[in-house]
Every structure is written in C-alpha cells, then in structure tokens.
C-alpha cells in the first residue's frame, strides 16, 4: 500500500475484491420479528415469497438476470434480503426500479466510476494540482505521536455512494419496510464480529455498509458501530428473510470460489483465501436452513472475477440461465397476469426522486478544524436553486479531493418547515502528513541520475486554513524548502506565503554535443509572495526574493562569465491556469503559464537583468488517440543580457529529445512540440499503457555560440523527435523511448517521473 500514489491507491481494492463477497440505521442483530404489515396476507392465500441475494462482487450482476426471469414468470416478491452486491441489486429493486432500468444501470458501472473518489483533475484545488509537479508515488500518510497512520481503506467510498444513489428511487426512508418491497441489508460489526441487520435510515448508506470490503473500503459508521461487508457473517441470509414472514425462500447463491493452492502466492492472497473459506462456511450453514418448499438458484459463473466491474453485463445472461433451470418450480408461484400487474404497480415508486428538488439551506456537519466556508467553496450546488444529482455528487468528490476528510456524504431533510441539504464530513484525525516520491532518468549507455523526494505538510493550522509545507529532495538535485501558506479570508481567495529555499544542482556547459564544463549551482534565498487563487482554475503570485547564489567549478576549461558568489535581490511574478485532464498522460484540457523576473540593482543585486517566459499546453482525445500541443517562449526585456547561469535550458526527453538535459542554454527561445499517443492497453484505476511519438523544434541562440561545429551569430533552428512507450505504473509514469536530434545527438531513455 505504501508504494501507491494517491491517484492509484485504489488499485489494491481490485486486488482484494476477488477475496470478498463485494458489492456495497439499524442496530438489530440476529433474526428479527416480522413487521405486522409483512405478516398480513390479506385476502390472498398464496405463500409470501422472500428473495435472498448473496454477495459476490462483480459476479452479483447475475442477480439482475434472475429478477428478469422472475418477472417473466410473474413470480411475486414480497420481501428482499441482500448481502454485499446482493444488497445493491436488492435495494435497487425494492425501491421501485424495473429490471430494464437496472440492466441499463449495470451497463453504466465501471471500475473507474466505483473506485475513483477524487474529482476529475480539473476540479481539484490548485494547491493540490501543484503536487503533480513532483513525482510522488505514495499518498499522503498521516503522522501522529504514535507514528505514521494508514487509511482505514484503500478507498473512502465517496464515488461508490454516488453510483449507488443512481440505483435507487429513494435514499432516505424512516423504515425499509416502507419501501415498495420491504428490504434488509446485512453488514458486519467490525468491533464485535456480530451480524447487523440494517432496516432503516439512509438506504444508500446501508448498501455501502453491506459492501465495504475490509481493507479495500473504509468502514461505515452507523449507530456507533463501524460496519463492513456482511458476507463475513451471513453471505446468504436465509434466516433473516424467514424472520420477515417469508413462507417460501428463493435463494440466489453466487458462490465464492476458492483459489487453487498454486494461486495462493502472496500474503494478500493468503488473507483473501482465509476470508473465502470463512464466507463459504457461513454459506453452507445458510444452505442447510433451506426447506423443501424453498428454491435455490446457483448461477454458473465459473472463473468470472469478482473484481471485473467493467464487464458486469456479461453475467446477466448467466443469472437468467440459472433461473430457467428451475422454471418449473418458479412457475408454481406464478400469479395470473392481472394480479401480477396490480402487484407490480403497487411496488413501483410512489413519488418522484426526492433528491431532485430545491433546498432552502445548505449546512455543513462535522467540520471542526476545517472552516465550513472552505467546504462551501468547493460546491456548485446553491440554496434556492434546483439540485442536480450529478452536480451534487461531483461536489462531494471536490470536497473529498481537498484531502482534509475521511468521508463526505449528504442528506436532504425537512427541518422546521425548511428543506435542508446537509453535507456531512468526517475529518481526518491527523493534521500532519508526509509523502514520498522518486524520479529517475537514464540515457542508456551515457548518463543517468535519480532524485528521492520527501514532503511534510501541516494542514488546517487556523480557521483560514493555513498550511506549513516542507520539501526535501536528495540525489542529483538537493533541495530544502519550507513555505507557510496563509489565506487571508475564509474563502481563501488571497494569501501570503513566506518561504525559505536552498537548492544545489549541476550546471553544465556544452559546445555542440561535448560537455566542456561542470559547475555546482547553489542558491539560498528567502522569498515572500502575495497571491490570489482562482478557485480550481489557477493561481497568481507576486513576490520579492533575497539571498545568494554561488557557483563552484567541478571540471572543464570554460568559466562562467559570473563565477563565485552573486547577491540575489529581485521581484517575481507567476501565473498558472491549469485545467488539464490527467497529470501523467493528459487526455483533455489545457494549461497556461506566464512568468516575469527582475533582478534589481537598487535593492542590492550584483547583476541587474529582466527575463520573461510563457508556455501553453492543450490535449485533445478521440477514442484511444490523443493529440497534445505545447508551445513556450522566453527572453529578456531591457538592454541588459540574462546571465549565463539563469538562461533558458533545452534538452532531455520531450524537450529536444536526443540532446542532454541543459545542453542548450540561450537568452531567447521559442519551442514547440506536437505529440501523439494511442492507448495500447487499459489498466484499471491507472491511466493505461501508451505508444507515443513527439515532434519538437526550437529556435535558440546557444550561450556558447557554436552549433554543429560552426560559429553562429543568429538563432538557429533545432529539430528533434522521440518515439516511446509509456505506462502509468504504481511507481509513477514510466517511459522507455528513443530520442533523435542529429547523428551526434541520439539517446535511448528510461524515464520515471512527471515529464
């Protein structure tokens, strides 16, 4: 788990899913007394039918096929009990959904829609997007006096709840007996190991509790308990349906196939096999409780994976086929067409979806350290305007994407005659966090380097949301940096950010493709920025900088025009707008950057000069093909030249591929790149595997005015290009590529990290 980035950490959930009977406020345990209305049979003397749906992860979509046959044969369903995925299908049908609606819903479910809690990158706060500039491979880990803490689950479940809300007609009911079909969901108390029968409260929360795979998804707090997947204690809850007054049980058992001994090859798989064994044991107990009049349906799902949520529809026909094998027994329960039609009309939803409405007020519940205004800033939903469910679900993912909360959910209720939308947040218990990363670049057969990254962040230090961030880089580059980020209001539109920074990095000088000098460039500065945030769109900073820059020659015969120590006194401006969709392999959106730097002699700078820069990138995708266009430019303004040590650098992978990093240093530069990618393979919860090509060109005047053996006095055009295979891996984006600039400048790259 510690090797996963925040964008990738949910991958472990898929590794665990085959082990658990997956799918998604009551405190009653054990058999419960049937409600009076459930026990009453009215004028009809027919037996009451209870439908019991087992867990089984993605295999659980076979339940929809069973329901399809039950409707075709006009078999009445009077009560439903479900565990894990069975609770999801059962709750959807019990709330009034038709089988046709459920089939359509199943086709819309994917791994990404279930297990991506964060919002699209474009909707993240700008401060979180800035983390993409460093090659972190581990999510933020909490730090307390007892040491490093790990999340309670690989994923929080925010996206799961959003998906579940689409599957039900009602979210909040006082009692699940008041649904069109009385319903129960089964969960496990993580503290005691007891079975918990969920029979009232929020239906979506109950579904999620019943499906919360231990370790894969965070436990769900209900009634003072921490609840997880019900399959651990009752994967086929026959006894609960019986206690609700069912005379005949239709039990659908998906099975939890055990792995072969040769497949149990890791600690995770050993744990998974243990859970499978325990689940199968409680299923055998439930099967022994079936009576002669009960009907058992067992879809033959073979090796279909419990984690294959991208192919759910494939299991629906398997469920149909299994139900048809016992069609003769099911037909014995069939109602005449007019009676069945009347029953289904009564079992349809009584009203429109209660979540689509206008609310009079929005409240934040559970925020103590985090200012509620910060939460509201992340929302597009407004009081007094109609609620769009998809927008509200995305609001919750935006709030969660800030990184301050373990879980985010909502409810809509009547409070003293006003309709109130309450956003319920559970704050993370820690205020200090650490993160780690790795960067590697190797021009195979020539040069290579690596950098190790570590970061510490203290959050929510005051009511305005102040943060203290410390960064450490060790390797080819050495960086020690600290910043105190202080918003000036609750909405965080403006901020100040004092910083201290020490940087030590190599500075190489080249004549053509020959390195002629090597320096160490050391910078120690203090900086004070005044900035503005444009919500999730971008950020602008205006700063003053003071310190010292020192150069020490390591090798070579050519000296920098400025060597030794240089006093730094300057003003800087930076603007970045970022709406790029994807950090490693962007598929849509754009980003724009602009900056200016002025070294001021009046404030004590040794070398006064002014420089500017600008850059833009856009990505466009059609199917599996992506076009990426980038352009950048920079130069000086005013009469004074930019010193050699602060000039623009070109060279390296996708920045004049084939040349060494920093091989071209220039006072004025224009650079453009046209990139093409095609997706070779999909990787669940990762951005995929790609083949790419890049065409690059720059117009520059080298600092040392020799290029390709000739003295140059005007800017030269330098073409380059690259072919590569890229994969979004647990360690970050990994590239293997070939770069070409000319016969003397070619390189085979192995590159790990953000480009």
């Amino acid at each position: 788990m510690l090797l996963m980035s925040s964008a990738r950490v949910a991958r472990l959930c898929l590794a665990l899913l085959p082990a658990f009977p997956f799918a998604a406020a009551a405190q009653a345990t054990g058999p419960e007394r049937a409600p009076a209305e459930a026990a009453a049979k009215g004028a009809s003397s027919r037996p009451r039918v209870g439908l019991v749906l087992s867990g089984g992860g993605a295999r659980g979509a076979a339940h929809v096929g069973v329901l399809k046959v039950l409707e075709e044969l006009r078999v009445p369903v009077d009560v439903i009990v479900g565990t894990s995925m069975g609770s999801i299908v059962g709750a959807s049908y019990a709330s009034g959904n038709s089988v046709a609606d459920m089939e359509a819903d199943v086709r819309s479910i994917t791994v990404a829609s279930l297990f991506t809690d964060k919002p699209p990158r474009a909707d993240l706060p700008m401060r979180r997007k800035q983390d993409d500039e460093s090659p972190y491979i581990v999510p933020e880990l909490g730090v307390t006096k007892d040491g490093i803490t790990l999340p309670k689950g690989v994923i929080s479940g925010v996206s799961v709840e959003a998906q579940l809300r689409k599957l039900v007609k009602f979210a909040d009911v006082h009692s699940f007996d008041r649904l069109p079909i009385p319903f129960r969901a089964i969960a496990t108390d993580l503290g005691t190991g007891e079975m918990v029968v969920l029979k009232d409260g929020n239906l979506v929360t109950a579904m999620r509790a019943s499906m919360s795979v231990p370790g894969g998804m965070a436990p769900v707090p209900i009634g003072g308990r921490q609840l997880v997947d019900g399959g651990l204690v009752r994967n086929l809850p026959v006894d609960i349906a019986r206690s609700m007054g069912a005379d005949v049980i239709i039990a659908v058992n998906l099975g939890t196939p055990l792995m072969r001994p040769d497949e149990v090859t890791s600690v995770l798989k050993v744990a998974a096999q243990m859970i499978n064994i325990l689940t199968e044991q409680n299923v055998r107990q439930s099967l022994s409780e079936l009576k002669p009049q009960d009907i058992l349906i067992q879809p033959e799902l073979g090796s279909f994976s419990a984690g294959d949520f991208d192919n759910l529809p494939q299991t629906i026909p398997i469920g149909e086929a299994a139900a048809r094998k016992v069609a003769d027994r099911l037909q014995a329960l069939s109602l005449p067409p007019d009676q069945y039609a009347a029953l289904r009309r009564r079992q349809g939803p009584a009203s429109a979806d209660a979540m689509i409405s206008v609310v009079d007020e929005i409240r934040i519940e559970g925020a103590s350290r985090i200012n509620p205004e910060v939460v509201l800033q992340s929302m597009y939903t407004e009081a007094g305007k109609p609620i769009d469910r998809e927008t509200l679900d995305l609001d919750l993912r935006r709030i969660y994407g800030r990184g301050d909360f373990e879980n985010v959910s909502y409810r809509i209720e009547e409070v003293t005659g006003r309709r109130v939308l309450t956003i319920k947040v559970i704050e993370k218990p820690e205020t200090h966090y650490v993160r780690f990363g790795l960067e590697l670049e190797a021009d195979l057969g020539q040069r290579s380097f690596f950098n190790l990254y570590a970061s510490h962040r203290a959050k929510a230090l005051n009511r305005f949301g102040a943060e203290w961030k410390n960064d450490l880089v060790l390797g080819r580059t050495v960086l020690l940096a600290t910043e105190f980020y202080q918003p000036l209001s609750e909405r965080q539109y403006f901020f100040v950010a004092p910083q201290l920074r020490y940087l030590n990095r190599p500075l190489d000088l080249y004549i053509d493709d020959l390195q002629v000098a090597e320096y160490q460039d050391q910078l120690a500065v203090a900086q004070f920025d005044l900035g503005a945030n444009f919500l999730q769109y971008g950020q602008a900073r205006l700063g003053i900088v003071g310190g010292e820059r020192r150069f020490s020659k390591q090798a070579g015969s050519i000296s920098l025009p400025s060597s030794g120590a240089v006093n730094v006194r300057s003003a800087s401006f930076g603007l970045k707008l970022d709406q790029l969709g994807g950090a490693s392999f962007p598929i849509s959106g754009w980003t724009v950057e602009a900056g200016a730097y002025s070294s001021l002699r009046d404030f004590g700078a040794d070398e006064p000069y002014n420089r500017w820069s600008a850059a833009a990138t856009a990505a466009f995708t059609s199917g599996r093909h992506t076009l990426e266009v980038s352009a950048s430019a920079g130069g000086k303004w005013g009469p004074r030249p930019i010193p050699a040590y602060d000039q623009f650098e070109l060279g390296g992978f996708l920045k004049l591929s084939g040349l060494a990093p920093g091989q071209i240093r220039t006072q004025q530069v224009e650079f453009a790149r046209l990139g093409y990618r095609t997706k070779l393979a999909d990787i669940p919860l990762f951005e995929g595997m790609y083949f790419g090509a890049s065409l690059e060109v720059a117009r520059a005047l080298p600092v040392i005015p020799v290029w390709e053996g000739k003295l140059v006095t005007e800017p030269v055009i330098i073409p380059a290009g690259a072919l590569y295979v890229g994969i979004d891996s647990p360690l970050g984006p990994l590239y293997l590529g070939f770069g070409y600039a000319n016969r003397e400048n070619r390189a085979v790259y192995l590159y790990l990290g953000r480009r």
Side-chain angles (χ1 to χ4, degrees):
M1 187 181 300
L2 292 179
L3 293 178
M4 302 307 236
S5 72
S6 59
R8 303 165 173 80
V9 69
R11 178 173 181 264
L12 280 178
C13 190
L14 289 183
L16 291 172
L17 280 173
F20 300 104
F22 184 102
Q27 294 81 34
T29 62
E32 56 181 337
R33 189 183 60 208
E37 62 269 28
K41 297 184 180 180
S44 173
S45 61
R46 70 171 178 84
R48 293 183 56 78
V49 178
L51 180 62
V52 177
L53 305 178
S54 79
R59 298 158 65 91
H63 290 317
V64 179
V66 172
L67 287 169
K68 191 173 183 180
V69 174
L70 295 183
E71 286 199 347
E72 179 184 318
L73 298 178
R74 302 190 305 279
V75 176
V77 175
D78 299 295
V79 296
I80 301 176
V81 185
T83 297
S84 199
M85 188 64 172
S87 76
I88 292 177
V89 175
S92 179
Y93 195 65
S95 73
N97 263 325
S98 68
V99 170
D101 289 339
M102 294 170 69
E103 282 191 279
D105 290 335
V106 162
R107 296 181 192 282
S108 70
I109 295 175
T110 63
V111 169
S113 67
L114 284 175
F115 304 117
T116 306
D117 282 334
K118 287 187 177 181
R121 183 180 179 278
D123 288 320
L124 285 172
M126 192 62 192
R127 194 153 176 84
R128 300 289 82 86
K129 290 178 188 174
Q130 290 171 342
D131 291 341
D132 293 338
E133 297 170 7
S134 298
Y136 295 126
I137 59 176
V138 174
E140 283 192 328
L141 303 174
V143 179
T144 67
K145 62 181 181 180
D146 297 321
I148 291 179
T149 62
L150 299 177
K152 295 178 181 177
V154 175
I155 62 172
S156 167
V158 174
S159 59
V160 169
E161 286 199 13
Q163 192 69 41
L164 296 181
R165 276 188 285 270
K166 298 177 183 178
L167 304 180
V168 297
K169 294 293 185 182
F170 306 92
D172 288 292
V173 287
H174 294 298
S175 169
F176 295 168
D177 290 327
R178 298 178 65 85
L179 291 168
I181 302 176
F183 171 74
R184 299 291 184 269
I186 307 301
T188 303
D189 186 327
L190 190 59
T192 66
E194 296 176 335
M195 177 178 67
V196 178
V197 180
L198 298 166
K199 60 180 181 178
D200 54 28
N202 185 282
L203 184 59
V204 169
T205 303
M207 294 160 71
R208 187 187 143 216
S210 181
M211 63 171 285
S212 290
V213 181
M217 191 180 301
V220 179
I222 297 179
R225 301 173 182 251
Q226 294 288 318
L227 303 186
V228 295
D229 196 296
L232 299 175
V233 289
R234 194 79 89 252
N235 201 42
L236 191 67
V238 170
D239 56 334
I240 304 305
R242 195 92 66 197
S243 72
M244 295 175 70
D247 301 310
V248 176
I249 302 293
I250 300 175
V252 186
N253 179 32
L254 302 177
T256 308
L258 301 180
M259 291 180 281
R260 299 190 309 272
D262 61 306
E263 294 177 321
V264 184
T265 56
S266 68
V267 172
L268 283 177
K269 290 187 176 181
V270 169
Q273 187 78 328
M274 290 175 60
I275 298 300
N276 288 347
I277 292 170
L278 293 173
T279 301
E280 282 299 288
Q281 286 176 346
N282 77 62
V283 168
R284 284 198 293 270
Q285 174 62 36
S286 295
L287 291 175
S288 70
E289 297 169 0
L290 293 175
K291 298 179 179 180
Q293 72 269 26
D294 298 330
I295 301 171
L296 176 63
I297 300 174
Q298 300 192 90
E300 298 176 0
L301 292 160
S303 60
F304 189 89
S305 170
D308 191 4
F309 287 90
D310 286 331
N311 294 294
L312 286 174
Q314 294 180 10
T315 67
I316 295 177
I318 299 174
E320 285 187 60
R324 294 190 194 284
K325 285 185 177 181
V326 293
D328 55 340
R329 297 196 63 197
L330 292 172
Q331 283 176 332
L333 300 170
S334 179
L335 293 179
D338 57 338
Q339 291 184 28
Y340 185 76
L343 174 68
R344 291 302 295 147
R345 283 195 297 271
R346 292 196 302 272
Q347 291 179 342
S351 62
D353 192 332
M355 286 186 283
I356 302 177
S357 59
V358 176
V359 296
D360 302 304
E361 182 183 354
I362 299 176
R363 297 178 181 177
I364 308 301
E365 179 183 295
S368 56
R369 294 194 314 270
I370 309 300
N371 196 307
E373 288 295 321
V374 173
V375 178
L376 289 171
Q377 181 180 279
S378 301
M379 298 184 64
Y380 287 179
T381 302
E382 299 179 46
K385 295 184 178 180
I387 290 178
D388 176 77
R389 180 159 54 183
E390 290 190 3
T391 300
L392 184 52
D393 287 337
L394 186 55
D395 284 343
L396 265 61
R397 291 172 63 192
R398 290 190 190 98
I399 295 167
Y400 179 79
R402 300 185 63 89
D404 299 317
F405 305 108
E406 287 186 348
N407 188 254
V408 184
S409 60
Y410 73 82
R411 66 178 183 271
I412 299 174
E413 56 191 346
E414 295 287 339
V415 180
T416 62
R418 292 168 57 83
R419 195 156 184 78
V420 177
L421 167 63
T422 300
I423 306 298
K424 182 179 179 181
V425 298
I426 300 177
E427 292 181 338
K428 291 182 177 178
E430 312 89 0
T431 58
H432 291 262
Y433 300 86
V434 293
R435 202 170 183 188
F436 304 96
L438 173 65
E439 180 182 31
L440 169 69
E441 181 171 359
D443 176 357
L444 302 183
Q446 297 190 47
R447 55 191 159 256
S448 63
F449 73 86
F450 74 92
N451 289 316
L452 299 176
Y453 286 72
S455 175
H456 161 263
R457 193 195 310 262
K459 297 182 180 180
L461 299 180
N462 54 41
R463 69 187 185 93
F464 288 166
E467 292 185 0
W468 178 35
K469 189 171 185 290
N470 301 285
D471 292 298
L472 171 67
V473 180
L474 296 175
R476 184 172 187 261
T477 298
V478 175
L479 172 68
L480 294 169
T482 185
E483 178 191 61
F484 190 82
Y485 171 81
Q486 176 61 67
L488 300 179
S489 68
E490 294 176 335
R491 289 288 180 141
Q492 300 187 350
Y493 293 130
F494 298 99
F495 64 90
V496 294
Q499 307 168 53
L500 295 173
R501 186 166 65 255
Y502 170 79
L503 176 68
N504 187 337
R505 68 186 187 103
L507 191 159
D508 301 329
L509 297 178
Y510 286 80
I511 294 179
D512 289 343
D513 60 338
L514 178 65
Q515 183 176 345
V516 295
E518 178 183 345
Y519 280 82
Q520 283 301 118
D521 178 3
Q522 300 178 65
L523 175 70
V525 295
Q527 183 169 337
F528 185 88
D529 286 350
L530 174 65
N533 289 312
F534 312 122
L535 298 178
Q536 73 270 25
Y537 295 101
Q539 187 181 92
R541 291 189 178 222
L542 181 64
I544 55 174
V545 185
E548 182 181 88
R549 197 166 188 173
R550 183 178 295 273
F551 306 93
S552 56
K553 182 187 289 188
Q554 306 298 301
S557 56
I558 294 182
S559 298
L560 286 171
S562 299
S563 58
V566 176
N567 286 322
V568 176
R569 305 288 188 274
S570 61
S572 65
F573 170 78
L575 169 69
K576 185 168 185 177
L577 304 176
D578 188 349
Q579 286 289 282
L580 212 54
S584 303
F585 300 93
I587 59 173
S588 63
W590 51 268
T591 181
V592 173
E593 296 182 67
Y597 181 90
S598 182
S599 180
L600 304 170
R601 172 162 287 173
D602 291 343
F603 289 90
D606 289 339
E607 297 193 60
Y609 63 94
N610 304 300
R611 56 173 275 170
W612 64 272
S613 62
T617 296
F620 311 90
T621 295
S622 176
R624 302 180 77 84
H625 307 282
T626 299
L627 195 66
E628 191 174 332
V629 181
S630 300
S632 60
K636 68 181 182 68
W637 85 85
R640 297 183 178 274
I642 303 172
Y645 57 79
D646 209 19
Q647 296 190 350
F648 301 97
E649 298 182 8
L650 291 169
F653 183 54
L654 302 185
K655 196 176 180 182
L656 290 187
S657 302
L659 301 183
Q663 184 169 334
I664 302 296
R665 304 184 69 84
T666 177
Q667 289 214 43
Q668 182 173 336
V669 65
E670 294 92 36
F671 173 81
R673 186 175 75 85
L674 177 64
Y676 165 79
R677 292 193 313 272
T678 183
K679 182 176 282 190
L680 300 177
D682 294 305
I683 304 175
L685 301 176
F686 287 74
E687 294 183 39
M689 181 178 181
Y690 298 87
F691 169 78
S694 175
L695 295 176
E696 304 143 30
V697 63
R699 182 175 181 269
L701 178 63
V703 173
I704 301 174
V706 176
W707 180 248
E708 295 187 339
K710 300 176 183 178
L711 183 68
V712 295
T713 57
E714 296 293 331
V716 295
I717 303 297
I718 306 172
L723 299 173
Y724 65 88
V725 173
I727 183 170
D728 198 21
S729 77
L731 294 178
L734 176 66
Y735 303 85
L736 178 63
F738 171 75
Y740 181 88
N742 54 36
R743 290 184 177 180
E744 289 75 31
N745 292 281
R746 292 173 290 179
V748 177
Y749 291 105
L750 177 65
Y751 190 91
L752 175 67
R754 306 290 187 198
R755 292 185 285 119

